[in-house]
Amino acid sequence: MTKYTHFILPFFIFFFSNTQAQIEKTDALYKTIMSRDSLLFSVGFNTCNISQMENMLSDRLEFYHDKDGISDKKKFMIDFKNGLCKAPEMRQVKRVLIDKSSEIYPMYQNGKLYAVIQNGSHEFSEKEKGKPEKLGGKAKFTNFWMIENGSWKLAKSLSFDHQAKSTIQENISGDDQAIESWLKENKIPTLGLGIIEEGKLKQIRVFGEIKKGVPAPYNTYFNVASLTKPVTAMVALRLVSLGKWKLDEPLDQYWVDPDVLNDPRHRKLTTRLILSHQTGFPNWRWMNPDKKLNFQFEPGTQYQYSGEGFEYLRKALEKKLGKPLNQLARELIFQPLSMNDTDYIWNQHTEESRFAIGYNKEGQPYPTEKNKVANAADDLHTTIQDYGNFMVSVMKGEHLKPEVFQEMTKNQVKTKENKYFGLGFEIYDLGNGNYALSHGGADLGTRCIAFVLPKSGKGILIFTNVDDGYKVYEKLVVHYLGEEGKKIVAIETK
């Protein structure tokens, strides 16, 4: 009996007899293993980073493939170098982990964690020089990660149930090569694109590089700037639906900012006025000569966009409910929608290796914002997949009472012709009862926007990581949203 056979029999016995041990996706161990998965594939495999790949593998690696047989580490690395990575400039193969397929099972000895089993499915795409990217195939896998000298290493791996391209529903459409060329012409380092059709997130497409020489994975992190605000708005509206918060209750019983304590207008502030940007506050207090918060008009009398209003709401929510905003969002939004790659703050579980660094128009990078305390208005980091599923939920009014959803999509204040602010979202009046919900985000090194059309079930997300990324919005909106997209652009350009 070979050394491989000695291992594989008890491995399968263990795997199929311990299915109750799966850990939650919010568990720190789950996030750790998914981080190792990303380092192995997104950084090592997808970019032909030989040293990275070799470093992730145990010297005792055993790899079982249902088409190519058994390999040890030496053979695996030789095949990797001389096969997939023989000429990466001419042919590139990418692996993408299939959403929600991962399962993690911890393994203990005398109560001490020593390994985990990772089970999942993945797809592969192939791109040859001068040709569009095409889907290559799909397979299931089981990886056995062990702790060796304090570090997680891939010790055993099974790759099986390979399916040919013809058996897979492709969700990549269009000429990717043309899009890549278009992005280079417009100097867009990274583009994340989410396409919503029939009320579902149907396409997740990410183009470009997250940093020089590193292709952007499908689960690239983006700082989405003011696209943070809709998430905060939905936290508040979810609490309203649960009867734990009121839209029109004055906030002064929970929080009063010291800068406006002596101004009686603070008593007029409500969640409705904050979510529709009618507080009278400036966007940010630091824009004032004295750097202090103030009222620039009577609350509720006109529109003025304000991040300060959302921060005011955060402090009121936190005071009443006794939890920080990031915890409230995790409980009310992120966990129910499986938004496992979304957070207001950076911590030890944030995987910086797949973050899209922000750039100015000249291609110079900006420092990455790494908030330790949630900002209700800014700096959320997320992926196209997570935020796309969030926008689908918004479009359907999920987890909201019908009357709350009605208030959210009601024209609370006019901002320009055929354009309004509702509660947390801009509203485009497209005529005949049709409308679009939208929000944008703009900071140093990020330009992002999202649209959903509740009546038709369509939508689009566009994430970029450069100061002038907005210049690709119009063509994409019109291409993917058709006539409704043209009406949106017409309203915006009036």
Side-chain angles (χ1 to χ4, degrees):
M1 185 178 288
T2 68
K3 62 180 180 180
Y4 302 112
T5 309
H6 276 301
F7 165 74
I8 200 166
L9 180 59
F11 182 68
F12 273 116
I13 291 173
F14 174 86
F15 181 72
F16 289 111
S17 63
N18 288 273
T19 56
Q20 299 304 313
Q22 181 181 351
I23 60 176
E24 296 293 330
K25 290 178 171 56
T26 54
D27 191 281
L29 178 59
Y30 182 95
K31 294 181 179 180
T32 296
I33 297 303
M34 296 310 294
S35 174
R36 303 303 288 178
D37 179 279
S38 183
L39 290 171
L40 177 67
F41 285 101
S42 298
V43 179
F45 185 92
N46 289 354
T47 67
C48 283
N49 187 326
I50 305 298
S51 61
Q52 175 71 18
M53 178 66 75
E54 196 163 17
N55 184 56
M56 300 296 298
L57 305 179
S58 169
D59 290 338
R60 298 178 291 170
L61 174 73
E62 295 175 12
F63 178 61
Y64 302 86
H65 194 284
D66 63 355
K67 304 294 184 184
D68 299 329
I70 304 171
S71 303
D72 58 11
K73 182 175 181 179
K74 182 178 179 181
K75 182 179 184 302
F76 181 90
M77 290 306 303
I78 290 173
D79 292 344
F80 184 61
K81 294 175 188 177
N82 299 331
L84 293 176
C85 298
K86 185 177 182 179
E89 71 282 359
M90 300 300 295
R91 173 176 175 264
Q92 186 180 35
V93 177
K94 284 186 180 181
R95 177 265 200 179
V96 174
L97 184 64
I98 294 177
D99 180 32
K100 299 180 181 179
S101 71
S102 290
E103 299 172 341
I104 305 296
Y105 301 85
M107 300 183 70
Y108 296 91
Q109 184 174 21
N110 297 326
K112 184 177 180 180
L113 178 71
Y114 72 93
V116 299
I117 292 173
Q118 176 195 8
N119 191 39
S121 301
H122 47 201
E123 294 178 343
F124 296 87
S125 63
E126 182 177 336
K127 188 177 189 308
E128 295 184 28
K129 187 175 182 180
K131 297 182 180 179
E133 185 175 11
K134 60 182 181 180
L135 200 60
K138 177 181 178 181
K140 295 177 182 177
F141 69 91
T142 298
N143 286 340
F144 187 79
W145 296 88
M146 291 190 70
I147 300 175
E148 296 183 357
N149 299 320
S151 181
W152 288 100
K153 300 284 186 178
L154 182 63
K156 319 289 179 185
S157 181
L158 292 85
S159 183
F160 54 98
D161 193 28
H162 285 80
Q163 299 177 29
K165 163 186 165 182
S166 59
T167 66
I168 303 170
Q169 179 182 3
E170 296 192 43
N171 64 356
I172 299 175
S173 61
D175 188 341
D176 287 3
Q177 184 182 4
I179 293 178
E180 293 277 8
S181 298
W182 179 54
L183 294 177
K184 287 179 180 179
E185 290 173 9
N186 284 277
K187 297 181 179 179
I188 307 293
T190 315
L191 168 69
L193 191 61
I195 307 302
I196 298 168
E197 297 171 337
E198 299 174 344
K200 297 179 181 179
L201 181 61
K202 290 291 186 73
Q203 294 186 44
I204 300 169
R205 307 174 72 191
V206 182
F207 302 88
E209 299 180 336
I210 53 174
K211 59 183 178 181
K212 190 170 179 60
V214 180
Y218 87 102
N219 58 350
T220 294
Y221 279 129
F222 290 86
N223 179 335
V224 293
S226 288
L227 280 179
T228 307
K229 293 182 179 73
V231 175
T232 301
M234 290 302 292
V235 169
L237 295 176
R238 176 75 177 123
L239 288 167
V240 172
S241 291
L242 292 171
K244 297 180 179 181
W245 196 253
K246 296 179 180 178
L247 269 178
D248 297 306
E249 181 179 38
L251 300 180
D252 61 337
Q253 60 182 306
Y254 307 120
W255 167 256
V256 180
D257 191 286
D259 287 356
V260 297
L261 180 61
N262 296 321
D263 190 324
R265 288 178 287 185
H266 75 258
R267 299 189 184 94
K268 296 185 177 182
L269 292 175
T270 65
T271 300
R272 183 189 299 273
L273 295 186
I274 286 172
L275 297 186
S276 58
H277 295 279
Q278 300 182 75
T279 59
F281 290 152
N283 191 10
W284 295 109
R285 69 184 74 198
W286 55 260
M287 294 178 172
N288 288 331
D290 61 1
K291 313 299 183 187
K292 291 187 176 182
L293 185 64
N294 69 321
F295 288 100
Q296 298 180 346
F297 55 83
E298 193 75 15
T301 60
Q302 65 185 77
Y303 164 81
Q304 180 166 281
Y305 190 81
S306 176
E308 288 287 354
F310 276 70
E311 275 287 85
Y312 204 103
L313 177 60
R314 172 179 70 84
K315 292 169 184 176
L317 287 168
E318 292 178 343
K319 283 287 185 180
K320 180 180 181 181
L321 298 168
K323 297 178 181 179
L325 176 61
N326 52 298
Q327 182 179 347
L328 291 170
R330 186 165 58 249
E331 294 173 358
L332 297 168
I333 308 295
F334 302 156
Q335 289 179 351
L337 297 179
S338 298
M339 295 172 66
N340 299 314
D341 281 331
T342 302
D343 212 328
Y344 288 86
I345 62 174
W346 282 67
N347 55 38
Q348 69 272 23
H349 303 301
T350 305
E351 193 177 336
E352 192 168 358
S353 64
R354 52 187 174 96
F355 179 77
I357 295 170
Y359 295 89
N360 65 18
K361 296 178 184 179
E362 287 70 45
Q364 299 301 312
Y366 290 109
T368 299
E369 293 289 342
K370 298 181 180 180
N371 293 345
K372 299 301 181 184
V373 176
N375 183 322
D378 202 11
D379 293 330
L380 186 82
H381 57 271
T382 188
T383 63
I384 286 289
Q385 176 175 300
D386 274 12
Y387 209 90
N389 287 329
F390 168 72
M391 290 301 291
V392 167
S393 175
V394 166
M395 178 170 63
K396 295 179 178 179
E398 292 179 348
H399 308 297
L400 297 181
K401 286 186 174 181
E403 58 268 28
V404 176
F405 181 73
Q406 186 176 10
E407 288 294 332
M408 185 189 81
T409 56
K410 178 182 175 181
N411 299 338
Q412 302 285 337
V413 61
K414 188 173 183 177
T415 60
K416 64 183 298 185
E417 191 65 29
N418 294 320
K419 190 177 178 183
Y420 305 83
F421 235 99
L423 298 180
F425 295 88
E426 291 185 284
I427 301 173
Y428 290 76
D429 184 353
L430 305 181
N432 298 319
N434 196 13
Y435 65 98
L437 298 175
S438 176
H439 209 289
D443 266 343
L444 296 178
T446 180
R447 292 295 186 275
C448 305
I449 199 163
F451 293 93
V452 289
L453 296 102
K455 299 291 186 181
S456 64
K458 293 191 295 185
I460 186 171
L461 292 82
I462 307 169
F463 293 176
T464 74
N465 63 333
V466 66
D467 285 349
D468 56 351
Y470 56 82
K471 60 190 176 185
V472 302
Y473 289 176
E474 183 175 333
K475 286 186 178 180
L476 291 171
V477 169
V478 170
H479 177 74
Y480 286 102
L481 299 185
E483 290 302 316
E484 291 164 310
K486 291 178 182 178
K487 290 179 181 179
I488 289 170
V489 170
I491 292 171
E492 197 56 50
T493 54
K494 277 183 181 178

